[in-house]
């Protein structure tokens, strides 16, 4: 696997025919359905740091270091806190998602593109249902999704764990051979690709100073079928003409 210096990149070339078999559209939430300019995820990240600082009586730097340790070892900070300290996940999620969405504007262009996709649309997130509903609601796109599969339904086992995807597919009767997965973190597309899903990596148009460099680079790999900086623009040619929609 190698990283590419330039974005955007699409490989193989984008064609609507390449998605003709897809009738299940699965979207990650954070940094996928909105851009980093809305400053949604940085607030969540800061709230997690504050949660650890208050829980353990740590200074900011020590709390941040512990947060990243749990993230690297367990996939989410929450999973580490549950495993090692028995932290109540509801308390953590409620605290982490008390954020200001005032910079997150409605995105009617994305809503129209999602609405035009043939078949079912679902959200698969490592966040909470409440957070997903708040964000998608502010974007004006929540009503386009049939359901949300969140970290609670996943039994607090986060992506990229294979069992989480398998549980999601089983719960919603999704045939992976007829599904597409849209994600902003490359490693979270490994299992979807292996299961037979079409995969699309979403990368930022401009560097996001609040995220690690490896989390936002266009990646060339067998499990990444397409890369885009423009989700709405990517989806548009995959939708049905307006006159054919129900």
């Amino acid at each position: 696997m190698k990283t590419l210096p330039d974005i955007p990149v699409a490989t193989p070339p984008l064609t609507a025919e390449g998605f003709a078999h897809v009738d299940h559209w699965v979207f990650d939430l954070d940094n996928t359905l909105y851009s980093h300019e809305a400053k949604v995820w940085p607030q969540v990240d800061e709230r997690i740091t504050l949660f650890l600082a208050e829980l353990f009586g740590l200074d900011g730097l020590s709390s941040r270091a512990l947060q990243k340790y749990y993230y690297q070892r367990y996939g989410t900070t929450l999973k580490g806190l549950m495993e090692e300290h028995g932290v109540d996940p509801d308390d953590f999620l409620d605290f982490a998602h008390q954020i200001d969405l005032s910079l997150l504007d409605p995105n009617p262009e994305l809503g129209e593109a999602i609405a035009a996709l043939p078949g079912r649309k679902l959200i698969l997130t490592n966040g909470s249902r409440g957070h997903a509903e708040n964000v998608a609601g502010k974007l004006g796109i929540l009503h386009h999704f049939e359901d949300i599969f969140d970290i609670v339904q996943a039994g607090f086992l986060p992506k990229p764990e294979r069992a989480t995807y398998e549980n999601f597919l089983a719960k919603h009767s999704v045939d992976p051979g007829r599904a597409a997965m849209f994600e902003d973190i490359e490693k979270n597309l490994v299992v979807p690709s292996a299961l037979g899903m079409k995969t699309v990596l979403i990368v930022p148009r401009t560097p996001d100073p609040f995220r690690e460099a490896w989390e936002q680079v266009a990646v060339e790999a067998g499990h990444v079928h397409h890369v885009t900086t423009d989700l709405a623009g990517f989806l548009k040619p995959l939708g049905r003409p307006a006159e054919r929609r129900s």
Side-chain angles (χ1 to χ4, degrees):
M1 183 177 73
K2 65 179 181 179
T3 58
L4 302 180
D6 300 318
I7 54 175
V9 61
T11 177
L14 171 63
T15 62
E17 288 73 22
F19 289 77
H21 66 293
V22 175
D23 58 8
H24 293 75
W25 308 85
V26 185
F27 295 85
D28 174 51
L29 178 78
D30 289 308
N31 296 309
T32 295
L33 292 177
Y34 61 83
S35 68
H36 69 84
E37 285 85 2
K39 293 183 172 55
V40 173
W41 178 249
Q43 294 183 69
V44 177
D45 202 33
E46 290 174 0
R47 294 286 293 176
I48 294 173
T49 303
L50 180 59
F51 185 91
L52 268 66
E54 294 183 354
L55 180 65
F56 298 114
L58 299 173
D59 60 76
L61 288 176
S62 299
S63 177
R64 187 73 174 172
L66 183 60
Q67 176 183 350
K68 294 306 177 183
Y69 162 75
Y70 286 140
Y71 176 70
Q72 293 294 334
R73 180 171 180 180
Y74 293 99
T76 63
T77 304
L78 173 58
K79 184 67 172 175
L81 290 172
M82 292 175 65
E83 291 286 338
E84 296 193 10
H85 302 283
V87 167
D88 186 317
D90 291 331
D91 291 343
F92 175 92
L93 292 170
D94 288 345
F95 187 93
H97 293 140
Q98 290 177 21
I99 60 173
D100 177 12
L101 297 178
S102 61
L103 294 180
L104 184 63
D105 295 324
N107 191 340
E109 181 184 16
L110 178 60
E112 290 173 4
I114 292 173
L117 297 172
R120 304 165 64 201
K121 300 100 182 187
L122 299 153
I123 292 175
L124 171 56
T125 176
N126 278 347
S128 69
R129 173 179 287 271
H131 176 61
E133 290 176 343
N134 289 339
V135 169
K138 188 67 168 19
L139 287 168
I141 62 175
L142 178 60
H143 60 289
H144 296 306
F145 293 98
E146 177 183 311
D147 204 354
I148 298 165
F149 188 91
D150 72 344
I151 194 66
V152 178
Q153 288 188 323
F156 303 102
L157 187 67
K159 297 178 290 182
E161 295 293 335
R162 185 182 183 94
T164 294
Y165 298 95
E166 292 176 339
N167 289 340
F168 163 77
L169 295 172
K171 176 177 176 57
H172 292 288
S173 301
V174 174
D175 177 356
R178 296 167 53 192
M181 180 78 203
F182 297 81
E183 256 282 354
D184 69 298
I185 297 179
E186 164 268 325
K187 67 179 181 179
N188 289 351
L189 293 175
V190 173
V191 172
S193 175
L195 292 170
M197 300 175 74
K198 197 83 167 178
T199 64
V200 182
L201 179 65
I202 314 299
V203 294
R205 289 188 178 93
T206 59
D208 183 351
F210 296 98
R211 300 173 66 201
E212 300 292 336
W214 65 266
E215 292 180 303
Q216 51 184 316
V217 68
V219 173
E220 183 180 286
H223 60 276
V224 178
H225 303 147
H226 295 279
V227 182
T228 184
T229 63
D230 180 5
L231 178 59
F234 187 95
L235 295 176
K236 280 183 180 179
L238 309 181
R240 297 173 296 185
E243 62 270 15
R244 292 176 55 200
R245 290 181 227 156
S246 57

